Amino acid sequence: MQKITHPQFLDWLKKEVRISLGCTEPIAIAFAAAVAAKYIKDPILKITGQISENLYKNAMGVTIPGTSYCGVNLAGAIGGNSDAGLEVLKGITAAQIAEAYALNESGKVHLDAVEADNFIFIDLTLYSLNNRCRVIIQENHTNVTDIYVNNIKQTLKGEWVRESDDNLLPHFSLKEASDFVNHVPIDDIAFILKSAEVNTALSDEGQRKNYGLNVNGALSQARKNGFISTDLLSQMLINTTAASDARMGGAPLPAMSNYGSGNQGITVTMPVVTLARHLDTDDETLTRALALAHLVAISIHARYSRLSALCAVSTAAMGAAAGMSWLLTRDDQTISYAISNMISDISGIICDGASNSCAMKVSTATACAFKSVLMAQQNSTAGERDGIVSSNVENSINNLCQLALSPMRKTDKEIISIMTLK
């Protein structure tokens, strides 16, 4: 790996830890429609387009925030404020939702799933009586690469200018991330504490009201009935899962995402926040632990594709394990052991699209992270005789990511086929 500099670590955090309202796949579709709508001043009569199979998979079953509806076509019909990026649907009105629903029900919105080179790909066209605008997004959720108005290609400007490959940030190791977190001036990373604030608010909302499958509600009721203990682990599961319940169930609150996913951001953040509260740590300590958690999750996910057949909350939870290990020990070996344990445990969880059931996977990954940290504290770790785990944690991570990049692509196609044929 190329040696990464202090500013590059900060760039990684600012690029990949971002506010997002709603599941990022339907949000990306709404964002594309909102961009196109800026170029058409008269009423929209029809919307057509194509999106990548992976994006379709992650957009078809999740509730659109602020509504009680789900669906790829409806996300495209709503549009919103493109200037807000991943918060494109912030402030949408009941009238806008009703108008989008009527357009969709009239059969005038049609988006097809297609096999694409980029896992994130949207090619969407809005039509009015006399004009049309086509917008293409590739590689990440708000990366506009092409805009055509009445077949005339537009010059991209500002935040829509595509980032060249020469400007991509270098990958980094867990040890490099740990060294950065231990030595960076706290003022440089103070912004990361916002992830605790935003995701805690989402968790509180999920515990206040039933959303999605209400997984956290089942756990809370089990505690009241004496079926599970009122302890740190159960509180960690409830706090983390509640945020996912709310997010996937359409709560009108944002999440702080990690690597393009709110559920990943929730899974990185909330276990660390819960443990920090239990330990009564100060804000600086929590900030450093969260920065490490986010960076480790980024380091792992950057080694495979943004969307795949591998459930990304499992790798996000490895970031949480790193953050919790740092809170408890400040020891790089404990961090490595915890992540190796997780790779040996939950590497097989598939991603079968974004939906309310994601909260169940969030719960599973969180429990695994905490268990793996506790084992690591006792110097207990999976080793090179244990499946895909190697003696070096970086090699173990690479082995896991290679599965996501290569053989799991066939798995992904089968998952998409099953889902689209239901």
Side-chain angles (χ1 to χ4, degrees):
M1 291 182 182
Q2 175 185 339
K3 183 174 178 56
I4 185 168
T5 65
H6 176 110
Q8 287 171 326
F9 274 116
L10 295 177
D11 285 345
W12 265 120
L13 287 171
K14 292 173 182 178
K15 176 185 175 185
E16 299 295 353
V17 183
R18 300 169 59 193
I19 289 277
S20 161
L21 178 62
C23 179
T24 44
E25 278 68 53
I27 290 301
I29 299 169
F31 175 76
V35 171
K38 291 191 75 168
Y39 291 84
I40 301 179
K41 304 304 180 184
D42 35 344
I44 306 302
L45 302 178
K46 183 174 72 169
I47 302 174
T48 64
Q50 298 177 327
I51 63 177
S52 60
E53 291 176 328
N54 285 84
L55 196 139
Y56 194 98
K57 177 185 75 171
N58 275 13
M60 63 184 292
V62 64
T63 305
I64 299 168
T67 80
S68 57
Y69 305 113
C70 61
V72 170
N73 290 339
L74 186 63
I78 289 179
N81 176 17
S82 63
D83 294 335
L86 290 175
E87 290 187 278
V88 62
L89 297 185
K90 184 177 182 179
I92 58 169
T93 65
Q96 287 175 292
I97 296 169
E99 184 179 342
Y101 184 77
L103 182 65
N104 184 43
E105 288 297 294
S106 71
K108 298 298 178 62
V109 185
H110 193 76
L111 303 179
D112 292 320
V114 296
E115 187 172 347
D117 292 334
N118 292 311
F119 288 102
I120 296 177
F121 173 79
I122 302 169
D123 184 347
L124 182 147
T125 302
L126 270 60
Y127 298 82
S128 67
L129 184 61
N130 298 308
N131 297 289
R132 62 180 171 180
C133 181
R134 178 187 178 197
V135 170
I136 298 174
I137 288 176
Q138 300 183 77
E139 296 179 358
N140 68 55
H141 298 84
T142 56
N143 187 40
V144 178
T145 59
D146 299 279
I147 299 175
Y148 298 87
V149 177
N150 298 327
N151 294 327
I152 299 173
K153 189 169 185 177
Q154 306 296 298
T155 300
L156 300 181
K157 55 187 178 180
E159 63 189 29
W160 293 341
V161 175
R162 185 178 181 183
E163 185 179 63
S164 71
D165 290 342
D166 293 335
N167 294 326
L168 293 178
L169 293 167
H171 292 185
F172 55 92
S173 68
L174 308 191
K175 179 65 166 61
E176 287 175 313
S178 177
D179 289 344
F180 167 78
V181 165
N182 287 331
H183 297 102
V184 62
I186 190 61
D187 288 346
D188 288 0
I189 57 171
F191 66 91
I192 210 69
L193 198 59
K194 186 74 173 177
S195 65
E197 176 187 333
V198 171
N199 290 339
T200 296
L202 192 59
S203 174
D204 291 344
E205 174 67 8
Q207 293 176 62
R208 184 187 70 82
K209 180 181 175 182
N210 291 354
Y211 287 97
L213 294 180
N214 194 32
V215 179
N216 82 93
L219 295 172
S220 295
Q221 189 60 49
R223 288 208 308 191
K224 292 177 182 177
N225 294 339
F227 293 156
I228 62 175
S229 299
T230 301
D231 56 16
L232 176 58
L233 175 58
S234 65
Q235 191 61 56
M236 191 179 292
L237 294 177
I238 289 168
N239 289 348
T240 309
T241 307
S244 182
D245 279 326
R247 178 172 177 77
M248 307 315 286
L253 293 178
M256 189 67 80
S257 66
N258 180 285
Y259 216 77
S261 165
N263 271 329
Q264 289 166 225
I266 288 165
T267 308
V268 168
T269 305
M270 291 311 299
V272 179
V273 170
T274 305
L275 178 59
R277 287 175 182 165
H278 179 79
L279 298 174
D280 195 25
T281 62
D282 57 33
D283 282 351
E284 177 176 342
T285 302
L286 174 58
T287 300
R288 292 187 186 279
L290 286 172
L292 179 62
H294 280 290
L295 283 171
V296 167
I298 290 167
S299 174
I300 296 171
H301 204 143
R303 306 183 204 190
Y304 67 103
S305 54
R306 286 189 180 268
L307 301 179
S308 72
L310 177 66
C311 176
V313 299
S314 63
T315 56
M318 295 174 193
M324 289 190 287
S325 295
W326 187 90
L327 279 174
L328 291 168
T329 69
R330 311 293 197 275
D331 179 59
D332 288 339
Q333 179 173 277
T334 304
I335 294 169
S336 296
Y337 282 1
I339 291 171
S340 293
N341 287 338
M342 291 191 68
I343 291 172
S344 185
D345 189 357
I346 59 168
S347 295
I349 299 181
I350 62 167
C351 173
D352 55 349
S355 67
N356 292 326
S357 66
C358 287
M360 298 174 68
K361 297 181 177 72
V362 168
S363 174
T364 298
T366 299
C368 176
F370 192 52
K371 173 182 65 180
S372 296
V373 169
L374 297 179
M375 291 175 60
Q377 275 192 288
Q378 302 300 317
N379 291 319
S380 177
T381 183
E384 58 186 356
R385 295 185 179 181
D386 299 300
I388 65 171
V389 176
S390 298
S391 56
N392 178 283
V393 69
E394 298 295 333
N395 291 337
S396 298
I397 293 169
N398 291 337
N399 293 342
L400 171 63
C401 294
Q402 184 57 39
L403 290 176
L405 284 170
S406 185
M408 289 188 81
R409 289 197 175 192
K410 187 175 188 304
T411 303
D412 204 32
K413 289 186 177 298
E414 290 297 327
I415 292 169
I416 292 167
S417 176
I418 291 169
M419 291 179 65
T420 54
L421 290 174
K422 284 196 300 182

